[in-house]
Amino acid sequence: MDPYPRLHPRPATGWVNDPNGIGFWDGRWHVMMQWNPGSARWGDIHWAHLSSPDLVTWEEHPAALTPRPGTIDAGGCWSGVATVDDAGVRCLVYSATPRGPEEAGVAIARDRGDGTYAQPDAMILPQSADRPFEHIRDPFLFHHDGRRLGLQGSGRDGRGAALLYEVAEFDRWEPLGVLLAAADVPDPLPSGGDIWECPQLVRVDDSWVLVVSWAYLDNGPRGAVAYAGELVPEQGGYRFVPRTGAPLDHGPDFYAPQAAQVGTRAVVFGWSDEGTGPGARTQEEIDASGWAGTMTLPREVVVDDAGVARLRIVPEVRALVGDAVGEPAPEGGTRIVDPAWMATAEGPWRLSLTGPDGERDVAAGDGPAEVWVDGSIVEAFGPAGSTTLRAYPASGEAWAWLATGAAPRELRLP
């Protein structure tokens, strides 16, 4: 079976990682992402750009941002967001660096009026030599109390932090201190990471939800955590007071999500790397294929009855669901050779890969659940939220689904 995730947004070829520039404008959803168009390996980071009228069919556009030799973004166009400036011009606010991440600063590229973006000659917020925090990057913008505010991720003394800025003038970011630092997260809430990357703050019902991605300088296990809580005024700015905190996704292959506030919805895409799950591809296989990484299916942030932020799949994606697939397996359950399908479970469920050499476990749960499979990405949704992982069927293998519920159904473009 083809491992390429044909129903997920990503360019046809190349390496992708963090989602960027997510939003809804001109009647379409837009998803951008870090992208190396010339290789299936990390490096030469552009912003790819895809759009969709419905969150299920995706059109690829020319690169939104391109690193330029000898300029502020020669070292890459890193994470950021799409927004509009005071004149109503669509802008991409991103981390630019001439060489390495220690020089990263905030830059703004503006729409030329034709959907392409003019990249700037100078940063609006370069790194300061005497900065108290390190690894500052990944700008984000939001509004509260009639104010436009900004965030960046950072770290200090081996602990992550989200930094807060006043952005009264679009091209001028004034520091307001720390919105939340790992050292200030109350027990027993999770508070890991040497660096907090890609901070996102969205409003969900009566709660603010702060999402941060944990990174470790020794390449330890990454993760994305969501804190639900309140913004409390403090010394001209705000601090975030978390009530709850939990992984935004429970799987090993989900990182650097970006949330876009579209009306009352907080729509999220995450990055799923190649992973180390069953049948994981070697670097040689990845190079030969010409692609690596994918975005997840689109999701929404919800806050459950316990006040914990979770992810659920957006209802629009159910337009992909088609006819029943699979055949009875000798040992019970269903054997599926289709590359893209979904299934529901009323109670306990198990997903594995089966073939001439036996069976390999992929995932399992107690249910109820929805499990979506597309090529090599598996996304399970249940009461505790989402779980994302990668698994690769070998030659002669098929998916094996065991659960009580409706028959698995194929996924197809509408």
Side-chain angles (χ1 to χ4, degrees):
M1 283 184 278
D2 185 0
Y4 189 85
R6 62 192 179 93
L7 303 176
H8 286 63
R10 59 148 292 132
T13 61
W15 161 283
V16 300
N17 55 294
D18 303 11
N20 302 137
I22 295 173
F24 184 83
W25 62 87
D26 296 337
R28 297 180 70 86
W29 294 90
H30 296 259
V31 176
M32 304 178 195
M33 64 202 72
Q34 293 183 26
W35 176 43
N36 183 353
S39 171
R41 301 191 184 205
W42 177 90
D44 191 28
I45 296 299
H46 298 54
W47 276 25
H49 180 190
L50 290 88
S51 73
S52 170
D54 53 16
L55 288 173
V56 294
T57 54
W58 294 95
E59 177 184 353
E60 185 176 347
H61 303 285
L65 297 174
T66 300
R68 300 162 296 162
T71 73
I72 60 167
D73 51 30
C77 302
W78 304 97
S79 289
V81 294
T83 186
V84 293
D85 66 12
D86 297 328
V89 175
R90 182 69 50 188
C91 297
L92 306 180
V93 183
Y94 66 106
S95 286
T97 178
R99 286 177 288 273
E102 68 282 353
E103 298 176 316
V106 178
I108 299 175
R110 286 179 163 84
D111 192 335
R112 296 185 177 96
D114 60 1
T116 66
Y117 295 86
Q119 293 169 231
D121 296 325
M123 301 176 186
I124 63 165
L125 186 63
Q127 291 272 12
S128 171
D130 60 352
R131 61 190 184 275
F133 289 85
E134 299 177 319
H135 311 289
I136 302 172
R137 53 182 178 259
D138 308 337
F140 179 84
L141 287 159
F142 68 102
H143 291 81
H144 183 53
D145 286 341
R147 302 167 70 179
R148 181 172 51 209
L149 301 160
L151 294 177
Q152 288 201 92
S154 70
R156 179 171 66 181
D157 300 327
R159 303 295 301 276
L163 306 182
L164 182 66
Y165 300 82
E166 182 85 54
V167 193
E169 299 177 33
F170 197 75
D171 291 346
R172 184 174 180 177
W173 288 41
E174 297 290 343
L176 291 178
V178 178
L179 182 73
L180 181 67
D184 297 325
V185 174
D187 291 334
L189 304 186
S191 60
D194 298 330
I195 309 165
W196 281 4
E197 297 188 306
C198 305
Q200 315 278 310
L201 189 63
V202 291
R203 188 75 175 172
V204 180
D205 298 328
D206 296 327
S207 294
W208 284 97
V209 176
L210 174 66
V211 178
V212 294
S213 294
W214 293 354
Y216 290 91
L217 297 176
D218 64 356
N219 294 320
R222 300 171 305 196
V225 172
Y227 299 104
E230 294 301 323
L231 288 179
V232 177
E234 182 177 84
Q235 298 180 347
Y238 300 90
R239 61 186 174 92
F240 183 83
V241 180
R243 295 191 305 267
T244 63
L248 190 61
D249 185 279
H250 299 279
D253 301 315
F254 178 94
Y255 190 67
Q258 182 165 112
Q261 191 91 54
V262 180
T264 59
R265 304 176 75 183
V267 176
V268 171
F269 289 83
W271 165 44
S272 188
D273 63 12
E274 287 306 292
T276 57
R281 298 188 296 167
T282 65
Q283 186 61 59
E284 290 75 15
E285 290 171 327
I286 293 170
D287 291 340
S289 74
W291 68 274
T294 184
M295 298 297 98
T296 64
L297 289 172
R299 307 169 180 193
E300 290 181 80
V301 183
V302 297
V303 176
D304 67 16
D305 292 341
V308 178
R310 309 289 193 190
L311 289 178
R312 68 182 182 194
I313 199 161
V314 299
E316 289 94 332
V317 173
R318 293 193 171 87
L320 296 169
V321 178
D323 299 329
V325 294
E327 58 186 24
E331 63 278 11
T334 306
R335 181 178 184 272
I336 305 166
V337 297
D338 286 61
W341 54 277
M342 67 86 66
T344 60
E346 298 170 359
W349 59 273
R350 183 165 65 92
L351 175 66
S352 57
L353 287 165
T354 182
D357 296 328
E359 193 169 26
R360 297 184 288 154
D361 288 336
V362 174
D366 293 330
E370 286 186 1
V371 179
W372 297 69
V373 176
D374 181 16
S376 54
I377 182 169
V378 177
E379 295 165 87
F381 298 87
S386 63
T387 301
T388 304
L389 56 91
R390 305 299 295 275
Y392 297 83
S395 177
E397 283 189 323
W399 297 103
W401 170 256
L402 183 63
T404 300
R409 307 189 75 84
E410 68 173 336
L411 298 178
R412 60 190 180 196
L413 286 174

